[in-house]
Amino acid sequence: MLARPSRPTLFLLVSIVLTVTYFLSRSEQPWEGARFYRDSALHGVSLRNFVKHEESRYNDFLKDRAALVKKLGPTEKDVIAFPEGYHLYTLWDFFLPAFPCPHRVERIGTMGDGGKWVCGMERIEKKDKCVIYSFGVNGESSFEADLLKRNPGCEVWGYDYSVNAFGPEIDQVPELKQRSHFFAWALGGEDKHGANDEIKFYTLQSLMKLNGHDFIDILKIDIEGAEFDSMTALVNSYKTSNPFGETLLPFGQLQLEIHAREGHEDFPYFVNWWRELEAAGLRPFWTEPNLVYINLVRGVKPELAEYSFMNIRGNHALISDDEIMPPPPPFPPHHGHPE
């Protein structure tokens, strides 16, 4: 007759079996981050309803901005964009990327200065054709080149009066160069491109008409401070005379480097300019400071920041009236966690 195991031995055996069972079951589960991502996504909700839901949350954020002004001001004219001494804020803390992109956000282009964050590139790359406008080239075109590589139906129009061509990422690649169009012109708040104008300025509206475009999928602007007048003129040109109508901008998203200096950092001016962008339907979904600028010019204030905006109006690649939000793409296996 076999001896019955003692209670301590039986407890140890049960503990071992439960532990092994737990880890085996864990190995069949997706990475915890992926599980959270899937569980929290608004599956089955239309993109348009997603935008409406997030817009209500963005309105709450605007109340938080007003409260921060009151706390640090107490009025807008009292707020200093980049205060000296021990102050725990900068201009950028009032303008956070508080509106989420409903698709994947990924960095396109170089990991250093020149790359940009894009919303829903997986959707744009499936289009038969796409239109890209890039203002400010400065000899570096990794962003534009990678966009062209992702979709052979994309074409890019580039403008920069300070250089003569796209950077080598496009200019030295024949297949990409075929789908690129470069002009040594500048984006401006008004058209000034007469025979006697050394620098030819065009509004976005004029360029789109010249090129035969009515919509731009991706608009990149990095024009060293001229973005303030240019964006103001752009928004004004698309405002409707109907007091109850909405401004409909002709692009899906905007990658914009903001240069808050030379008076543009004055808080009342900046916040009013920013509100014009918001009123036109632009919502920031990503931002990062330009740390390369701070590293190159030691002692400067953090005056430069990259922002990515999505246009929440109109029917385009990022938003549609009746499309249901699909499940997020699966996460690849990572660090031993199988999918």
Side-chain angles (χ1 to χ4, degrees), residues 265-300:
E265 77 281 9
D266 179 69
F267 193 83
Y269 169 85
F270 190 96
V271 72
N272 287 330
W273 176 78
W274 186 275
R275 286 184 183 128
E276 288 292 310
L277 305 187
E278 291 174 324
L282 295 180
R283 300 290 180 268
F285 66 85
W286 196 277
T287 187
E288 62 183 27
N290 187 330
L291 299 179
V292 173
Y293 167 67
I294 295 175
N295 188 57
L296 288 175
V297 189
R298 298 301 176 96
V300 296

Side-chain angles (χ1 to χ4, degrees), residues 4 17 22 28 44 46 97 100 121 127-128 138 199 216 222 231 239 267 281 283-284 301 303 309:
R4 296 177 60 185
V17 171
Y22 171 77
E28 297 173 357
S46 72
M121 188 61 206
K127 297 182 66 176
D128 293 334
N138 196 27
I199 300 175
I216 299 169
D222 183 358
M231 288 304 301
K239 283 183 178 178
F267 193 83
R283 300 290 180 268
K301 298 174 181 178
E303 303 159 330
F309 298 83

Side-chain angles (χ1 to χ4, degrees), residues 52-120:
K52 290 180 180 178
H53 171 76
E54 293 301 330
E55 182 69 353
S56 66
R57 298 180 63 185
Y58 192 79
N59 288 331
D60 291 336
F61 168 73
L62 297 183
K63 296 176 184 177
D64 293 338
R65 179 196 295 165
L68 186 61
V69 169
K70 186 175 181 179
K71 174 183 176 182
L72 299 174
T75 68
E76 291 176 358
K77 67 179 181 180
D78 299 315
V79 176
I80 301 173
F82 305 108
E84 303 285 350
Y86 190 76
H87 297 276
L88 302 180
Y89 77 91
T90 71
L91 173 69
W92 311 118
D93 291 299
F94 294 87
F95 306 99
L96 302 178
F99 201 100
C101 161
H103 312 294
R104 175 177 287 171
V105 176
E106 57 184 305
R107 188 174 180 86
I108 306 294
T110 181
M111 296 295 289
D113 189 52
K116 309 290 180 183
W117 291 93
V118 171
C119 171

